[in-house]
Amino acid sequence: VVSLDYQAPLYLLSIKGGYDISDLDYRFGNIRSHTLTQQSYASISLKGFIGNKFSWQTGMNYDGFVRDFDDTTASVFYALHPEGPVDYADTVVRRPIIEGHAYVNYALSERTHLSAGLRTNVPVADQASFLSFQAALRQDLGLKHSFLLSAGRYHSFTIPGFFFRGTELLRADQLALDYSYKSNRLEWQAAIFAKDELGSQLNGEIPISRARIVGVEAFVQYILGRYVA
């Protein structure tokens, strides 16, 4: 990972890059799956300030993902003993993603902040195009309490795995209300959200195309001492 930042009085320029490689080998009976994954990342962003109330950010990023599957599978699903008949397959999945984003934040008052953001892709390799967006309103109640109301549409691509090799476009519409409390020793957060997910993916080994979810989340941390939490 490489990161370079340049700070000027009214803006911050950030350039980042990284590369990751992993090798996974799975064996069971006459099944063998060897997966080599390579991922490269690069981004450039510019963040600026106008007065004390308005800030903005824009940028581009590239995410290059290559996964090579070298598989040996049972020719007959019930014949898994090591000497059983097998089939061979070598599959390479590539998923380059180029995205641009823009974000603004405005302080309506000392305790109230309004923000909005957009994210879109540059379609490559027969990808579908998308436009993600979000709006959020944050209200601070003193120094310890705050609420965050957010709504938006978000997109991502599936990560190819053993059972599902595709790179399908996923969409999620979400509405959420978050509450947070923070003092010197105690920090806790809670959220309630509703989400509508659309796109072909796997839940375990079960293919699904749409999911509607309503849920709650909670997090609590208490600091017992200087080095214990």
Side-chain angles (χ1 to χ4, degrees), residues 66-104:
V66 180
R67 180 162 284 180
D68 187 352
F69 299 92
D70 184 9
D71 298 325
T72 301
T73 57
S75 300
V76 184
F77 74 91
Y78 55 81
L80 300 180
H81 55 87
E83 293 76 24
V86 295
D87 296 322
Y88 301 94
D90 189 0
T91 307
V92 178
V93 180
R94 304 178 186 274
R95 189 206 60 185
I97 301 176
I98 303 174
E99 295 178 336
H101 69 271
Y103 170 84
V104 294

Side-chain angles (χ1 to χ4, degrees), residues 185 222-229:
R185 288 184 174 269
Y222 184 78
I223 301 175
L224 299 174
R226 186 175 181 180
Y227 302 107
V228 183

Side-chain angles (χ1 to χ4, degrees), residues 8 25 47 52 75 79 86 88 97 105 125 131 135 138 140 142 150 156 163 165 172 178 185 193 202 218:
D25 194 56
K47 182 177 182 180
N52 297 324
S75 300
V86 295
Y88 301 94
I97 301 176
N105 182 81
L131 176 65
R138 175 176 173 174
D140 296 330
S150 61
S156 63
F163 294 102
R165 302 291 169 87
D178 297 72
R185 288 184 174 269
F193 64 90
L202 288 181

Side-chain angles (χ1 to χ4, degrees), residues 13-47:
L13 175 65
S14 296
I15 301 175
K16 303 181 187 298
Y19 177 78
D20 180 76
I21 185 170
S22 63
D23 198 354
L24 177 65
D25 194 56
Y26 171 79
R27 296 174 184 266
F28 178 78
N30 60 350
I31 297 175
R32 177 183 178 274
S33 178
H34 177 255
T35 305
L36 178 66
T37 302
Q38 301 178 70
Q39 189 166 9
S40 55
Y41 176 83
S43 70
I44 181 170
S45 65
L46 184 66
K47 182 177 182 180

Side-chain angles (χ1 to χ4, degrees), residues 53-148:
K53 292 187 175 183
F54 187 80
S55 64
W56 57 270
Q57 180 174 319
T58 187
M60 297 286 296
N61 63 273
Y62 166 80
D63 186 358
F65 181 92
V66 180
R67 180 162 284 180
D68 187 352
F69 299 92
D70 184 9
D71 298 325
T72 301
T73 57
S75 300
V76 184
F77 74 91
Y78 55 81
L80 300 180
H81 55 87
E83 293 76 24
V86 295
D87 296 322
Y88 301 94
D90 189 0
T91 307
V92 178
V93 180
R94 304 178 186 274
R95 189 206 60 185
I97 301 176
I98 303 174
E99 295 178 336
H101 69 271
Y103 170 84
V104 294
N105 182 81
Y106 182 71
L108 300 174
S109 68
E110 185 178 350
R111 295 184 178 181
T112 306
H113 296 261
L114 180 64
S115 62
L118 297 173
R119 184 169 62 93
T120 189
N121 68 323
V122 179
V124 294
D126 299 324
Q127 286 178 357
S129 61
F130 66 79
L131 176 65
S132 300
F133 50 86
Q134 175 182 289
L137 178 65
R138 175 176 173 174
Q139 180 66 52
D140 296 330
L141 305 177
L143 299 177
K144 297 181 179 181
H145 307 268
S146 67
F147 285 93
L148 178 66

